[in-house]
Every structure is written in C-alpha cells, then in structure tokens.
Amino acid sequence: MNQTKIYGHRGAKGRYPENTLLSFQQAILQGVDGIELDVHLSKDGEVVVIHDEFLNRTTDGTGFVRACTLEEIKKFSAGSKFSSLPDYEESWILEKVPTLKEVLQLLAPYPIELNIELKTYTFEYEGIEEKTIALVNEYGNGRKVVYSSFHLPTLLRIKGIDPAASIAWLLNHVISHPLDYIKSLGLESLHLHKDMVIDNLKDWQELKTLVRVWTVNQKEELVQLMDAEVESIITDYPELAIAIRQERAVPID
Ligand code: G3P
Ligand code: MG
C-alpha cells in the first residue's frame, strides 16, 4: 500500500497563524512530509509568503502586497489577527510576513518537501517565476520542491526556466482527459480541490500517484483519500492527518 504524504497547508493553518515561520515550524514539529505556502511579490520585488493579494485579512496592515515595500510589510504583525485560535499567545504578535528566503532558511535542516503556490491569477507579478526558482536554487538545500499555480502560464514559464522543475496545476474545476494535460504540459501532478476527488474516487484511481488533494480537514475525508492512496493530502490539521495515518498503520491482531 502506498502511504499518502501529509502536507501542512500554509504551515499548520488550523492552529497557527497561516504562512508564518511559527506555523511552518509547528507543522514540522507535528511531523509533516511537506508544507504548502503561497507567494506574491512586494513593490520592491521581494518574494513574500502570504495568501491574499492584500494585507488586511492576515496582518494588521492594509493595502495590496504589491503596493508595499518589504520594509513596510515587515512593520505589520502576521499573528495578531489570529487571537480566535484556541492556542493563541500574545507572542504571536511578533510574527511577520516571511520572505520565501526566510522560510527556506527555516526549512534547511529538515528533509521535507515544499509546495510553493505562485499566486499569479489576479496580478501577474512579472519576474516572480525567475526570482522564486533562484531562491530555491540558492537556499532550497536540494529538497523536493513542487511549484503550483492556478495560472497555467506561470507553470509553463517555470518549466521554461528550469526544465527539471516539478510543476503542478491547481484545479477546482473538472477538466477532460487529465492525463493528456499531464503528459502534454510536462506536469508532475495535479493539485485538486477535495470535492473533485471525493465525489469521484474511482475516476482518479489510475492517476492516484499524480494527485495531491486540498484542503482536507475532516477525519472521514482524510480516511477516504488515504484509502484511495492519493500521493498527498494538503491539510490545515497535519497533526490530525498524521495521527489517522499512524492508527491505520497499526496491524490488527
Ligand atoms: O495549494 C492548495 C491550496 O492552497 C490552494 O488554494 O486558496 O488555499 O491557496 P488556497
Ligand atoms: Mg495555497
């Protein structure tokens, strides 16, 4: 039986402030096989790790990420907005929006995989592909990196810059002949919204090694997808997913 890998979504988003060094560190402590994060470009061209195009939801700043320099972005807290999480501590106020370089440096000692989602479907962020690959080459420590995006041209640009790069198309809608896309475009995998897979588990069986599924948080769905032996699950609760996987590994007398 192939063991499904567990990726922490934006670190361990279910318990810690998403896309912060704290969240990534905690996901690593929980024992993830990989982490997923999202990148945008700041006004001065730095690759920064944040989900939205704007600062408002996840930080105490306002405005578009691309309208602020890194120095300006770093003034804001990326932790203070998460006081409703059960484990909230005042020290979270000190969390900042990390750069991709800072995350790569944090990961350096750990042999885990990394999924970098390039958020290029709203703004194009000219040059983000080159900058991201350069940072991975310099600070990636040779780890497996999967570049994903909803915006297919971004993935094709990445492949053009680095033909050996692993690229994954993010999908939340059905496509016809998925294997044709994989082969024709040189995709390493498809990153599929969970509803696309859970409602059609049989249809994806043949492609199970080429599929990562997001964002899976319910126990029943985690079990279903582990039974289906999909390559990886991306979850806000990696601790839960890992515990379920461990339970299933225990032989029954
Ligand atoms: O990469 C999987 C997932 O993160 C895609 O959606 O909006 O959570 O970045 P989103
Ligand atoms: Mg993402």
Side-chain angles (χ1 to χ4, degrees):
M1 184 167 186
N2 293 321
Q3 183 167 264
T4 295
K5 290 179 186 160
I6 308 297
Y7 273 64
H9 186 228
R10 309 182 206 169
K13 175 182 178 291
R15 282 184 59 191
Y16 297 96
E18 63 180 65
N19 281 326
T20 60
L21 295 182
L22 171 67
S23 187
F24 300 130
Q25 184 73 66
Q26 291 297 329
I28 293 165
L29 287 173
Q30 291 176 9
V32 292
D33 303 295
I35 61 170
E36 186 267 1
L37 55 77
D38 311 284
V39 295
H40 296 255
L41 276 192
S42 67
K43 185 178 178 181
D44 49 345
E46 296 289 336
V47 183
V48 289
V49 179
I50 184 168
H51 180 269
D52 301 350
E53 283 73 23
F54 46 87
L55 296 160
N56 306 43
R57 181 181 62 86
T58 59
T59 80
D60 55 2
T62 55
F64 286 118
V65 172
R66 67 173 191 157
C68 298
T69 63
L70 179 61
E71 193 183 345
E72 288 164 342
I73 292 169
K74 284 286 188 186
K75 286 184 183 144
F76 304 122
S77 169
S80 63
K81 283 274 177 90
F82 294 90
S83 59
S84 61
L85 290 175
D87 297 330
Y88 179 77
E89 291 178 19
E90 281 201 2
S91 61
W92 292 12
I93 289 168
L94 301 174
E95 291 299 317
K96 306 289 182 192
V97 172
T99 61
L100 179 58
K101 177 180 166 183
E102 288 165 344
V103 178
L104 290 166
Q105 288 173 328
L106 175 81
L107 299 190
Y110 309 103
I112 62 167
E113 300 181 3
L114 175 62
N115 171 204
I116 302 175
E117 182 188 346
L118 292 95
K119 286 284 187 197
T120 46
Y121 53 79
T122 303
F123 300 122
E124 289 191 12
Y125 295 125
E126 196 182 337
I128 194 171
E129 297 88 356
E130 286 86 349
K131 285 171 191 263
T132 300
I133 289 172
L135 286 164
V136 167
N137 287 343
E138 191 166 355
Y139 301 103
N141 249 8
R143 80 185 59 257
K144 176 170 174 123
V145 173
V146 180
Y147 301 93
S148 65
S149 184
F150 287 102
H151 188 57
L152 201 44
T154 281
L155 299 175
L156 301 182
R157 271 194 284 278
I158 285 175
K159 206 70 179 162
I161 298 161
D162 178 5
S166 296
I167 54 170
W169 192 15
L170 267 164
L171 287 170
N172 51 15
H173 63 273
V174 175
I175 53 169
S176 56
H177 313 303
L179 189 57
D180 195 12
Y181 280 93
I182 290 171
K183 286 182 180 166
S184 307
L185 302 176
L187 301 174
E188 184 253 7
S189 54
L190 295 172
H191 286 194
L192 304 176
H193 187 278
K194 69 183 177 74
D195 291 346
M196 294 174 65
V197 184
I198 284 169
D199 296 343
N200 304 286
L201 279 169
K202 280 194 188 137
D203 295 349
W204 291 103
Q205 259 314 287
E206 277 187 24
L207 298 184
K208 66 184 182 184
T209 60
L210 305 174
V211 164
R212 296 188 185 85
V213 187
W214 53 278
T215 300
V216 190
N217 294 334
Q218 301 301 321
K219 181 169 184 181
E220 191 185 327
E221 294 179 337
L222 288 162
V223 168
Q224 277 180 296
L225 290 164
M226 287 181 203
D227 281 343
E229 298 180 34
V230 296
E231 210 283 334
S232 305
I233 288 169
I234 302 173
T235 175
D236 293 338
Y237 297 95
E239 202 170 21
L240 171 68
I242 291 163
I244 291 170
R245 191 174 65 181
Q246 271 168 1
E247 271 171 34
R248 292 155 52 86
V250 176
I252 301 160
D253 306 317

